[in-house]
């Protein structure tokens, strides 16, 4: 049992970057398998902040290997920029970063169409990050996408870019009344990227499978969150990839049999950026307070995140589709000053309380959260290094979430720094007659 996958159990921004950074110690190879520049993983190391969009956070450990898998939508300009930024911060990048030759490339027309389609939708806009993710994956599925490997067959690349740009120009001019793009300029731009990308490009499917055969331990890194997953999220207010663990096998080119453990990361409250249903959204003073205390502003776009209470109904759904083995609770310290905490344990609609997350987008906005209230702890937890040092009410909050979700919480994060976390060994009594949960270090 050596390989694992880390996924977000809410609408993204659960703190996966920091969790992966901590877990990296136990793995040899870290593989990002979906999404693209829309992600923003933040890691703070000795007060220095790193925001990574494409490169796995494992890169901050020089002895580990990092892979951008075939399932990622690769924006080469962003990737190269990120490499430069890391180098400026003295992060070693040499024979430890690999980019899949099968990954699909994001082109300027993807970003432009992302923006135009959003503004065309008006009030119905998804609130995308504008990184061209949806249009890039749409081209992949429509079988007109261009992959990294094609950068190294220039005549073919030229034909593909020309065909795509001419097609997109018809859309840009006809539908959006916008100036056409020059395929020649795009071609030149991507030929230049090809040279700079070359040292990183390889057959990562072979690389990862060989690593597994050689008994290396692999950690698959999910981006965004399960409720943004194209199949299991709040469609159509989702991202265009499988952000659940289900995406790891096709996005990295490994057998599902090779993923032995699934870690689900969840924030002690809930946030969402962009449009779409959010039953526990707090609104008003509380939302503003959580946003400021939690620094809830998009790592990619800087947009303020919507904030609200922890939603057991939504997280349970996410945990089920992922087959989560254990959970990691982040940002517990953000709740330190709350007198009373609320946990959503059901949704009330059509006169009944439901415990299942409905797939019906017409229903979700009508769902009235049913809350259970818990006393807050009103103490600083950010310096706590063990479960025994956490205030009793904080431990009870964690225990209650375990009980409601039927899942172990094995780590609690109490601040942005790499060192601000508590490992917990938690045992849920499986026997139905004894539902008591014990937590000890
Ligand atoms: P896209 O992925 O840019 O197409 O955006 C689709 C939806 O997913 C929007 O609501 C975005 O705000 C959201 N989203 C995309 N990436 C992230 C992320 O890394 N964290 C949180 N939300 C995200």
């Amino acid at each position: 049992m050596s390989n694992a996958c880390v996924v977000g159990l809410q609408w993204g921004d659960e703190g996966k970057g920091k969790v992966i950074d901590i877990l990296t110690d136990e793995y040899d190879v870290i593989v990002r398998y979906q999404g693209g520049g829309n992600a923003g993983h933040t890691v703070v190391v000795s007060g220095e902040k790193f925001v990574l969009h494409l490169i796995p956070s494992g890169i901050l450990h020089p002895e580990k290997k990092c892979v951008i898998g075939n399932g990622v939508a690769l924006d080469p300009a962003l990737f190269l920029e990120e490499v430069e930024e890391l180098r400026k911060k003295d992060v070693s990048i040499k024979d430890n970063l690999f980019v899949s030759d099968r990954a699909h490339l994001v082109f300027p027309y993807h970003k432009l169409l992302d923006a135009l389609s959003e503004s065309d939708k008006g009030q119905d806009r998804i609130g995308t990050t504008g990184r061209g993710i949806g249009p890039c994956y749409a081209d992949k599925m429509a079988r007109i996408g261009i992959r990294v490997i094609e950068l190294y067959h220039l005549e073919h690349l030229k034909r593909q870019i020309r065909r795509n740009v001419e097609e997109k120009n018809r859309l840009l001019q006809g539908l959006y009344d916008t100036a056409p793009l020059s395929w020649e300029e795009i071609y030149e731009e991507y030929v230049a990227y090809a040279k700079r990308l070359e040292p990183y490009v390889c057959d990562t499917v072979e690389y990862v499978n060989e690593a597994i055969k050689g008994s290396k331990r692999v950690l698959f890194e999910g981006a965004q969150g399960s409720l943004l997953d194209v199949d299991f999220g709040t469609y159509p207010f989702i991202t265009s990839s499988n952000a659940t663990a289900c995406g790891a096998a096709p996005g990295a080119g490994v057998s599902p049999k090779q993923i032995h453990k699934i870690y689900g990361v969840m924030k002690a409250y809930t946030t969402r950026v962009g449009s779409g249903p959010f039953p526990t959204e707090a609104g008003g003073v509380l939302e503003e307070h959580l946003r400021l205390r939690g620094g809830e502003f998009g790592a990619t776009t800087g947009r303020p995140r919507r904030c609200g209470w922890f939603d057991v109904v939504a997280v349970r759904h996410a945990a089920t589709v992922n087959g989560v083995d254990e959970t990691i609770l982040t940002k517990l310290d953000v709740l330190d000053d709350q007198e009373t905490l609320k946990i959503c344990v059901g949704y009330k609609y059509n006169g009944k309380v439901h415990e299942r997350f409905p797939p019906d987008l017409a229903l979700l906005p009508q769902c009235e959260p049913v809350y259970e209230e818990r006393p807050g702890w009103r103490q600083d937890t950010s310096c706590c290094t063990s479960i025994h040092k956490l205030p009793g009410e904080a431990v009870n909050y964690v225990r209650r979430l375990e009980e409601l979700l039927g899942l172990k919480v094995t780590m609690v994060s109490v601040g942005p720094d790499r060192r601000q976390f508590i490992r917990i060994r938690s045992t849920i009594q499986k026997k139905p007659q004894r539902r008591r949960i014990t937590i000890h270090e």
Side-chain angles (χ1 to χ4, degrees), residues 323-392:
V324 164
D325 295 295
E326 35 186 277
T327 64
I328 293 160
L329 190 70
T330 60
K331 291 193 147 181
L332 186 71
D333 57 300
V334 174
L335 300 180
D336 281 354
D337 66 349
Q338 292 296 321
E339 201 163 334
T340 307
L341 305 172
K342 289 186 185 177
I343 303 174
C344 169
V345 292
Y347 293 160
K348 194 168 176 189
Y349 56 87
N350 296 338
K352 280 192 187 153
V353 176
H354 301 258
E355 289 189 353
R356 278 186 41 226
F357 193 73
D360 188 350
L361 207 73
L363 211 54
L364 270 167
Q366 295 171 34
C367 290
E368 196 189 315
V370 178
Y371 287 116
E372 176 181 297
E373 294 200 352
R374 316 280 312 170
W377 43 93
R378 317 258 314 189
Q379 277 179 58
D380 180 15
T381 58
S382 65
C383 300
C384 294
T385 48
S386 93
I387 192 80
H388 307 298
K389 293 191 178 144
L390 276 182

Side-chain angles (χ1 to χ4, degrees), residues 7-10 226-227 244 312-324 357:
V7 290
L9 294 181
Q10 291 154 323
S226 301
L227 301 172
T244 45
V312 167
V313 181
V315 172
R316 203 189 278 131
H317 160 71
T320 302
V321 294
N322 281 290
V324 164
F357 193 73

Side-chain angles (χ1 to χ4, degrees), residues 134-311:
C136 175
Y137 281 121
D139 277 3
K140 174 178 176 174
M141 292 306 166
R143 295 162 295 183
I144 56 165
I146 303 177
R147 299 178 304 160
V148 169
I149 189 76
E150 284 153 87
L151 291 172
Y152 305 99
H153 304 289
L154 291 185
E155 274 316 303
H156 173 72
L157 179 70
K158 191 187 277 183
R159 267 202 318 276
Q160 300 285 97
I161 291 182
R162 182 177 183 165
R163 181 204 61 197
N164 281 5
V165 173
E166 283 176 354
E167 187 200 284
K168 306 300 179 200
N169 279 345
R170 285 198 287 277
L171 206 56
L172 291 176
Q173 293 175 284
L175 183 64
Y176 295 116
D177 199 16
T178 308
L181 297 170
S182 151
W183 69 263
E184 291 94 334
E185 277 176 26
I186 295 176
Y187 171 71
E188 292 305 327
E189 185 185 339
Y190 278 67
V191 169
Y193 294 145
K195 287 202 183 67
R196 294 174 61 202
L197 272 181
E198 206 167 2
Y200 309 101
V201 175
C202 74
D203 182 344
T204 57
V205 174
E206 189 178 317
Y207 180 82
V208 176
N209 280 290
E210 283 303 312
I212 292 172
K213 270 191 214 150
S215 302
K216 300 279 185 228
R217 291 154 306 169
V218 181
L219 185 65
F220 298 93
E221 170 178 329
Q224 289 82 50
S226 301
L227 301 172
L228 288 170
D229 181 281
V230 65
D231 284 288
F232 307 111
T234 45
Y235 191 90
F237 298 100
I238 43 90
T239 191
S240 302
S241 63
N242 281 118
T244 45
C246 321
V254 299
S255 160
K257 288 187 293 187
Q258 298 297 350
I259 303 162
H260 309 118
K261 187 171 190 174
I262 318 279
Y263 291 99
V265 185
M266 54 193 197
K267 215 182 291 205
Y269 50 99
T270 313
T271 61
R272 170 164 206 168
V273 61
S275 327
F278 179 179
T280 63
E281 186 167 16
V285 179
L286 174 68
E287 176 156 4
E288 189 58 27
H289 182 78
L290 288 174
R291 184 179 297 134
L292 290 178
R293 257 191 83 82
E296 298 296 355
F297 297 89
T300 300
T301 59
R303 288 180 292 174
R305 295 178 187 143
R306 299 156 68 193
C307 303
W309 295 116
F310 192 95
D311 185 342

Side-chain angles (χ1 to χ4, degrees), residues 11-13 38-40 126-130 133 224 228 238-239 273-274 303:
W11 279 281
D13 309 314
N38 49 352
I126 293 162
T128 71
T129 58
I133 303 301
Q224 289 82 50
L228 288 170
I238 43 90
T239 191
V273 61
R303 288 180 292 174

